[in-house]
């Protein structure tokens, strides 16, 4: 004890194998590993070589001994007004039934199972059942349109698909099964069978005889099922998951088994400080990496109960999350800045209404957490708010505070320090040299990547190397494609994506910096800045801002006045060079389904180009508003 975080981190890099061997004791192994790391074929890293384990066993079976009757899964739906709670014993039963069903359909080790499901317990049973059999799941975010789904079917070539008749969002029905039918029509490698968890929401659901099967019926034949765990060598794949598609075509991340289990178990202890028997609430969706790591596997591996919430943060009212946190005595919460900014537009009284004394930390990730929002939520909740930075590719945090080792003070706007195991460097984009304090560089990781990170791009080893490890000549360095800066105290700040840097008359500005300056204006809830081609200066920043109160922009005069104030705020904080050429006001920004601002599309529209691939777009209204604002300014 008494080790500082700095020492802990240094040990994780300098005595890498000993460090991870220690962490590996946090999971159960069927067969112990021989070698901690095989890095004979860079940049492909194999962790815990020869060890055999299983994610489902670690998440479920191993808890039966000590906590069979403890809550494991707490399902709350504000869409269908349902609540169901499963103990570890009940979870074990349901997972075995689902595994028996999949097995009866011929699913075996290495087969793919595509899961396209709403946030219901059966989705999680299906994931756990798949990995129990040594098969590989590909969870596709429910509500993705059929051609996005078709592309993912063709990439994974699943033996079986699991879906539901419908999902619900904001009280509206989304016909999942119908979308699946369309996707299967569009795909070249359709599954042999489709298992449907029928919620009775879509009586018109069409069925294809011979292919479509009713889960309830299949389940009833396997009520007493006990399906043996299929042990996997640590490097064998557990799942495929696609990145959000913010910057272009999504990449199919392949995850291993042993390294992932160890990485998650360690993160639950050191980063999230969750204890067995407590309750974890991640507001993400199982379709995203946060859902995989911190709705399903992380909390369950730790022996914690996990909240599966089907609903939005503002229905029935903007206090719903905090009510859940109170009622379930949640100790760890995980959400995204985009959701917090939604709440910021609502009555802050909802945040004070509930007893949050059980809550120890709120973690946020997915997008830059601007300083005003960080400040606002910290004050409102009165618990530490920890911004942490990671990617689908890494599966867990790259930059974070690690309160389980040392409670380092948080700086608003910064995701703190490199997580243990990550040798993070900020490199000059061209030369690849390390930059100094307060200089901008590309956030890079010296390989081998730590346990839990992607093993390769599914089916495309070459793309793994060429996409992630080929930015600098003659050297294998993993690039995140994000821009960062480190201050004199060692705190990192993410400045935006490398694509998002604006070059104004030779000055390189991160869009994040300008957005941050604009967000300090009290009228602004959210803002996106993009660089637009300019014949004179190369590029000019252009801002699209969402106001908290529409009254501020009720007349053209009011808009002009506010625009002036915002420009003055930028001048003051960054200098006139960063001043946006215009600030357009909208009520909504175009976002990906995972809640990230689609800057590439905004930029394309502003430059009069085609907005590009919009399959990941959440609500078309955001794009329409940007188009309208740009057209009106002409
Ligand atoms: P694609 O790779 O398909 O373009 P994506 O990068 O949005 O999509 P994700 O893996 O979901 O896919 O998102 C990871 C990215 O999200 C990071 O590379 C970074 O740009 C951003 N991000 C995540 N967490 C943070 C954070 N705490 N602060 C700033 N940015 C963050
Ligand atoms: Mg990415």
């Amino acid at each position: 004890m008494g080790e500082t975080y700095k020492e802990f981190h240094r040990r994780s890099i300098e005595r890498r194998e000993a460090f991870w061997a220690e962490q590996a004791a946090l999971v159960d192994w069927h067969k112990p590993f021989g070698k901690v790391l095989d890095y004979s074929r860079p940049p492909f890293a194999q962790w815990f070589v020869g060890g055999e384990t299983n994610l489902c066993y670690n998440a479920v079976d191993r808890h039966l001994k000590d906590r069979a009757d403890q809550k494991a899964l707490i399902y709350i739906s504000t869409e269908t007004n349902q609540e169901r709670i499963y103990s570890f014993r009940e979870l074990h039963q349901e997972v075995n039934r689902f595994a028996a069903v999949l097995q009866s359909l011929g699913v075996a080790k290495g087969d793919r199972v595509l899961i396209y499901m709403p946030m219901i317990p059966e989705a999680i049973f299906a994931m756990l059942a798949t990995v129990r059999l040594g098969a590989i799941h590909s969870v596709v975010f429910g509500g993705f349109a059929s051609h996005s789904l078709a592309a993912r079917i063709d990439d994974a070539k699943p033996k079986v698909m699991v879906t539901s008749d419908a999902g619900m969002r904001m009280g509206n029905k989304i016909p999942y099964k119908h979308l699946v039918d369309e996707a299967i029509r569009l795909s070249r490698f359709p599954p042999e069978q489709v298992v449907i968890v029928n919620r009775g929401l879509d009586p018109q659901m069409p069925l294809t005889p011979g292919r479509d099967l009713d889960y309830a019926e299949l389940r009833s034949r396997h009520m007493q099922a006990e399906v043996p765990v299929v042990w996997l060598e640590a490097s064998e794949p557990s799942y495929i998951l696609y990145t959000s598609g913010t910057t272009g075509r999504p990449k199919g991340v392949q995850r291993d088994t042993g390294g992932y289990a160890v990485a998650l178990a360690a993160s639950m202890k050191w980063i999230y400080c969750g204890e067995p028997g407590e309750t974890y609430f991640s507001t993400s969706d199982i379709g995203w990496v946060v859902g995989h790591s911190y709705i399903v596997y992380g909390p369950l591996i730790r022996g914690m109960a996990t909240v599966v919430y089907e609903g939005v943060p503002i229905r029935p009212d903007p206090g719903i999350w905090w009510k859940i946190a109170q009622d379930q005595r949640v100790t760890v919460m995980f959400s995204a800045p985009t959701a917090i900014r939604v709440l910021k537009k609502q009555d802050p009284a909802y945040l004070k209404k509930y007893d949050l004394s059980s809550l120890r930390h709120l973690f946020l990730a997915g997008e830059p957490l601007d300083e005003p929002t960080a400040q606002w939520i910290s004050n409102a909740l009165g618990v530490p708010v920890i911004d942490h930075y990671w990617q689908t590719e890494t599966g867990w945090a790259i930059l974070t505070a690690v309160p389980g080792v040392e409670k380092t003070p948080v700086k608003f706007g910064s995701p703190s320090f490199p997580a243990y195991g990550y040798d993070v460097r900020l490199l000059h984009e061209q030369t690849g040299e390390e930059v100094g304090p307060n200089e901008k560089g590309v956030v890079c990781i010296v390989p081998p990547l730590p346990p839990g990170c992607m093993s390769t791009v599914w089916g495309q080893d070459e793309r793994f190397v060429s996409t992630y490890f080929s930015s600098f000549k003659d050297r294998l360095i993993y690039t995140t494609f994000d821009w960062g800066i480190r201050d004199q105290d060692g705190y990192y700040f993410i400045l935006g994506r490398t694509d998002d840097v604006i070059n104004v008359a030779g000055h390189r500005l991160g869009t994040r910096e300008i957005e941050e300056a604009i967000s300090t204006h009290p009228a602004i809830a959210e803002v996106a800045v993009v660089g637009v081609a300019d014949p004179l200066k190369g590029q000019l920043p252009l801002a699209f801002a969402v106001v908290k109160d529409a009254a501020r922009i009720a007349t053209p005069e009011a808009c002009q006045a506010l625009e002036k104030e915002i420009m003055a705020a930028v001048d003051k904080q960054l200098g006139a060079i960063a001043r946006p050429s215009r600030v357009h006001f909208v009520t909504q920004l175009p976002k990906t389904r995972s809640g990230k601002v689609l800057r590439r599309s905004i930029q394309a529209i502003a430059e009069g180009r085609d907005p590009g691939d919009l399959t990941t777009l959440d609500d078309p209204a955001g794009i329409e508003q940007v188009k309208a604002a740009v057209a009106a300014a002409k």
Side-chain angles (χ1 to χ4, degrees):
M1 278 314 282
E3 197 178 24
T4 63
Y5 179 63
K6 218 174 179 166
E7 289 159 355
F8 187 79
H9 181 266
R10 188 179 312 133
R11 189 156 63 86
S12 76
I13 302 299
E14 290 174 1
R15 300 184 48 226
R16 196 185 304 272
E17 299 198 22
F19 178 89
W20 285 110
E22 224 174 85
Q23 309 307 319
L26 293 167
V27 310
D28 284 8
W29 296 88
H30 175 67
K31 186 178 156 209
F33 49 89
K35 216 169 154 188
V36 179
L37 171 67
D38 177 356
Y39 195 53
S40 56
R41 197 166 63 96
F44 299 90
Q46 291 197 4
W47 288 96
F48 308 116
V49 184
E52 285 180 7
T53 187
N54 181 288
L55 285 179
C56 179
Y57 180 85
N58 274 284
V60 184
D61 300 56
R62 72 161 169 161
H63 301 306
L64 295 180
K65 189 159 62 72
D66 296 329
R67 51 189 83 253
D69 295 315
Q70 185 199 294
K71 289 179 194 175
L73 197 156
I74 301 167
Y75 166 63
I76 299 169
S77 174
T78 50
E79 297 288 349
T80 59
N81 293 317
Q82 272 183 306
E83 202 173 309
R84 279 191 267 158
I85 293 178
Y86 297 84
S87 65
F88 276 101
R89 190 196 314 282
E90 290 162 330
L91 178 63
H92 181 258
Q93 258 165 13
E94 292 300 340
V95 169
N96 274 279
R97 290 168 187 159
F98 218 121
V101 166
L102 292 176
Q103 205 170 39
S104 74
L105 301 177
V107 173
K109 182 176 164 181
D111 288 337
R112 274 80 58 208
V113 175
L114 193 146
I115 299 172
Y116 180 76
M117 289 277 268
M119 285 284 287
I120 57 176
E122 287 80 1
I124 288 147
F125 305 156
M127 291 169 75
L128 291 165
T130 302
V131 296
R132 185 178 195 82
L133 297 173
I136 301 166
H137 58 68
S138 168
V139 181
V140 177
F141 177 67
F144 257 131
S146 36
H147 54 292
S148 308
L149 181 54
R152 288 161 177 75
I153 293 175
D154 286 342
D155 198 37
K157 305 183 181 66
K159 181 155 210 154
V160 170
M161 267 175 82
V162 180
T163 190
S164 192
D165 54 336
M168 297 281 291
R169 195 179 145 83
M170 298 278 277
N172 300 313
K173 194 173 73 183
I174 304 160
Y176 279 39
K177 173 57 172 50
H178 177 77
L179 292 164
V180 165
D181 287 341
E182 251 177 52
I184 288 180
R185 259 195 296 281
L186 293 170
S187 72
R188 289 181 296 134
F189 303 98
E192 292 158 29
Q193 321 262 208
V194 178
V195 175
I196 302 147
V197 177
N198 193 343
R199 311 171 74 190
L201 295 174
D202 188 5
Q204 269 103 56
M205 171 175 67
L207 288 174
T208 303
R211 186 197 71 189
D212 294 350
L213 305 166
D214 177 39
Y215 179 65
E217 207 268 304
L218 296 171
R219 175 179 174 272
S220 69
R221 297 186 215 158
H222 298 281
M223 294 305 281
Q224 306 308 322
E226 281 193 30
V227 178
V229 163
V230 175
W231 301 107
L232 296 181
E233 201 276 336
S235 293
E236 289 184 300
S238 56
Y239 68 76
I240 310 167
L241 178 65
Y242 297 86
T243 60
S244 293
T246 312
T247 55
R249 192 155 65 94
K251 297 152 286 247
V253 165
Q254 177 179 322
R255 195 85 63 204
D256 73 358
T257 295
Y260 187 56
V262 171
L264 292 186
S267 72
M268 291 303 295
K269 178 172 179 185
W270 304 118
I271 300 174
Y272 299 101
C273 307
E275 294 296 326
E278 296 180 346
T279 301
Y280 196 107
F281 178 20
S282 162
T283 67
S284 183
D285 186 285
I286 50 156
W288 309 122
V289 67
V290 177
H292 280 62
S293 293
Y294 297 113
I295 293 175
V296 184
Y297 294 111
L300 293 176
I301 286 173
R302 185 68 171 158
M304 291 179 82
T306 185
V307 175
V308 177
Y309 174 58
E310 182 184 35
V312 297
I314 50 169
R315 249 176 54 115
D317 65 53
I320 180 64
W321 281 359
W322 318 112
K323 180 177 185 323
I324 292 172
Q326 167 191 280
D327 294 352
Q328 304 302 332
R329 304 291 300 157
V330 168
T331 57
V332 192
M333 250 183 104
F334 189 148
S335 190
T338 181
I340 303 301
R341 287 191 282 261
V342 166
L343 294 178
K344 212 168 124 193
K345 286 186 266 182
Q346 318 287 328
D347 185 350
Y350 285 111
L351 275 152
K352 295 278 173 221
K353 212 174 138 186
Y354 298 100
D355 170 16
L356 298 179
S357 56
S358 60
L359 193 63
R360 281 196 297 266
H361 292 104
L362 169 66
F363 287 85
L364 297 172
E367 266 214 308
L369 176 65
D370 58 282
E371 210 181 306
T373 302
Q375 188 103 49
W376 177 82
I377 188 70
S378 296
N379 291 341
L381 285 182
V383 302
V385 172
I386 298 186
D387 177 19
H388 59 338
Y389 159 85
W390 45 299
Q391 305 183 300
T392 308
E393 289 86 342
T394 62
W396 63 289
I398 305 168
L399 297 173
T400 184
V402 186
V405 179
E406 185 188 353
K407 291 187 176 43
T408 48
V410 161
K411 286 194 191 186
F412 289 129
S414 163
S416 300
F417 315 115
Y420 50 88
Y422 288 91
D423 189 359
V424 175
R425 307 286 170 94
L426 292 177
L427 302 183
H428 187 281
E429 196 179 18
Q430 255 101 47
T431 64
E433 301 284 326
E434 269 192 75
V435 301
N438 295 309
E439 281 172 23
K440 290 171 209 171
V442 182
V443 181
C444 294
I445 303 165
V446 179
L449 297 176
C453 292
M454 74 192 293
S455 4
T456 185
V457 174
W458 172 251
Q460 299 177 55
D461 282 356
E462 225 176 289
R463 191 168 170 213
F464 175 63
V465 183
S466 67
T467 302
Y468 295 105
F469 290 91
S470 306
S471 292
F472 303 103
K473 251 198 151 154
D474 311 321
R475 260 160 90 202
L476 288 169
I477 300 273
Y478 176 88
T479 43
T480 61
F481 301 101
D482 289 308
W483 232 189
I485 199 165
R486 186 177 50 235
D487 73 7
Q488 59 291 347
D489 303 324
Y491 285 77
Y492 284 70
F493 293 79
I494 298 294
L495 301 178
R497 311 203 179 228
T498 47
D499 303 6
D500 288 342
V501 167
I502 305 181
N503 196 333
V504 188
H507 297 263
R508 297 170 66 67
L509 302 162
T511 49
R512 162 94 192 260
E513 295 169 89
I514 307 176
E515 289 168 3
E516 190 83 38
I518 295 176
S519 315
T520 60
H521 193 290
I524 300 303
E526 190 169 19
V527 59
V529 169
V530 297
V532 176
D534 179 80
L536 228 54
K537 297 194 169 163
Q539 272 184 316
L540 280 178
L542 183 65
F544 293 82
V546 178
V547 289
K548 284 184 195 153
D549 176 4
R552 283 300 306 254
I553 51 165
T555 63
E557 293 73 38
C559 281
Q560 267 172 18
L562 185 57
E563 186 172 9
K564 269 213 179 110
E565 285 177 29
I566 288 171
M567 289 183 175
V570 176
D571 284 5
K572 189 163 155 241
Q573 290 173 60
L574 297 173
I577 186 80
R579 183 197 305 159
S581 60
R582 284 296 312 272
V583 182
H584 295 303
F585 298 106
V586 291
T587 60
Q588 196 184 337
L589 293 169
K591 290 189 178 174
T592 65
R593 291 180 186 256
S594 55
K596 294 160 197 279
V597 175
L598 264 175
R599 288 188 188 72
R600 68 173 156 88
S601 299
I602 301 178
Q603 184 189 40
I605 292 168
E607 292 185 338
R609 290 180 284 116
D610 183 88
D613 181 11
L614 292 179
T615 50
T616 184
L617 186 68
D618 187 24
D619 180 348
I623 278 283
E624 292 312 318
Q625 290 203 16
V626 169
K627 281 187 186 160
V630 168
K634 277 215 173 109

